[in-house]
Amino acid sequence: MGVSTSVPDEGVAVVTVDFPPVNALPVQGWYDLAAAVRAAGADPRVCCVVLTAEGRGFNAGVDIKEIQRTAGHDALLGANRGCYEAFAAVYDCEVPVVAAVHGFCLGGGIGLAGNADAIVASEDATFGLPELDRGALGAATHLARLVPQQLMRTLYYTSRTVTAEELHRHGSVWRVVPRERLLDAALDLAREIAAKDGQLIRLAKAAINGIDPVDVRRSYRFEQGFTFEANLSGVADRVRDTFGEDGAVDKSEEERT
């Protein structure tokens, strides 16, 4: 359990997340993920990083129960900072990051996948931000990198999810494959990228990040301020305790954490 790194092929590192039962990460888990991605990208032998997960889904966001059982705001602040660090680590990774997404990709999962350079998804993958049903605000920055503006807003306000095939039609998912082919398909893309000159691929990553129209770090940090405001006002606890007025998307998954 936790975050591990392997090197299955020359030039390719695989960072795997495993926090049963639904990969809702505790505070330390986000920091561990950030450290693993940064270390993999900094390795001069690595030209591409694959980010994947074990279990039923790619990522279910933060461990809400950790926040609920921790007095004060320490866990909330830790989760906010940890998510910020993990998302930034993916975006700032010195080499391209391929996200291999299966099952549910929710909340923090959108932050990770939305900051990746490419996404390969399994046929059962679904993507969404149930933040409004969890008393939080955030990662619209990253969802906006996956879908057009009005669709992003609709998904955000409704907490609905979209399928991998729908994102493939929007061009944000590179390939959609059967679940059993997911890692192989992600590695195929990673090998193709890793075949490029290592120094040049690093320059390419820095150049592409440099022309991004939105500063994802600053934009996400701005969103996080409203999450903290919601907590100080008490509305976050009220909504989080009921997972939203109608029970929320994927409530059954989160309750098992």
Side-chain angles (χ1 to χ4, degrees):
M1 188 177 84
V3 179
S4 60
T5 303
S6 60
V7 183
D9 292 286
E10 183 178 354
V12 177
V14 177
V15 175
T16 303
V17 177
D18 184 15
F19 284 89
V22 295
N23 284 322
L25 272 60
V27 170
Q28 188 58 50
W30 291 107
Y31 284 105
D32 291 345
L33 176 54
V37 171
R38 288 197 183 98
D43 187 335
R45 299 167 297 178
V46 172
C47 293
C48 188
V49 173
V50 174
L51 178 60
T52 187
E54 296 287 350
R56 299 205 304 271
F58 177 73
N59 190 283
V62 303
D63 186 346
I64 291 178
K65 292 192 180 298
E66 180 182 38
I67 294 174
Q68 290 176 320
R69 66 174 174 260
T70 303
H73 297 297
D74 286 350
L76 174 66
L77 290 171
N80 279 3
R81 291 170 179 163
C83 284
Y84 178 87
E85 291 297 326
F87 300 169
V90 172
Y91 183 79
D92 291 328
C93 184
E94 295 178 36
V95 299
V97 176
V98 176
V101 179
H102 74 281
F104 42 83
C105 179
L106 304 172
I110 295 293
L112 297 171
N115 267 355
D117 295 274
I119 302 170
V120 176
S122 61
E123 294 169 336
D124 67 341
T126 56
F127 300 73
L129 285 179
E131 311 306 278
L132 291 185
D133 288 333
R134 297 180 178 181
L137 297 164
T141 292
H142 313 97
L143 185 59
R145 295 166 65 84
L146 302 177
V147 298
Q149 182 69 212
Q150 275 68 35
L151 179 55
M152 178 275 287
R153 290 171 179 256
T154 302
L155 293 173
Y156 195 89
Y157 297 146
T158 63
S159 297
R160 289 178 177 269
T161 59
V162 291
T163 66
E165 187 57 45
E166 288 175 286
L167 291 190
H168 180 62
R169 292 198 294 270
H170 286 293
S172 50
V173 166
W174 174 249
R175 288 186 64 191
V176 180
V177 298
R179 175 76 169 266
E180 63 273 14
R181 278 277 304 142
L182 178 61
L183 184 56
D184 287 340
L187 286 173
D188 285 344
L189 178 57
R191 292 187 195 103
E192 185 175 349
I193 295 170
K196 308 299 182 185
D197 181 87
Q199 183 178 358
L200 193 60
I201 202 71
R202 282 173 162 75
L203 290 173
K205 176 65 182 279
I208 291 175
N209 277 8
I211 63 170
D212 249 339
V214 175
D215 183 337
V216 296
R217 295 173 297 270
R218 184 175 63 185
S219 179
Y220 177 57
R221 200 62 174 149
F222 178 81
E223 289 186 76
Q224 286 187 315
F226 289 94
T227 293
F228 197 65
E229 181 177 329
N231 276 269
L232 289 178
S233 70
V235 65
D237 287 335
R238 186 172 72 247
V239 174
R240 188 184 299 125
D241 289 344
T242 61
F243 282 86
E245 185 177 349
D246 62 357
V249 176
D250 291 290
K251 173 184 175 183
S252 60
E253 297 289 356
E254 190 64 35
E255 282 182 332
R256 296 191 183 100
T257 64

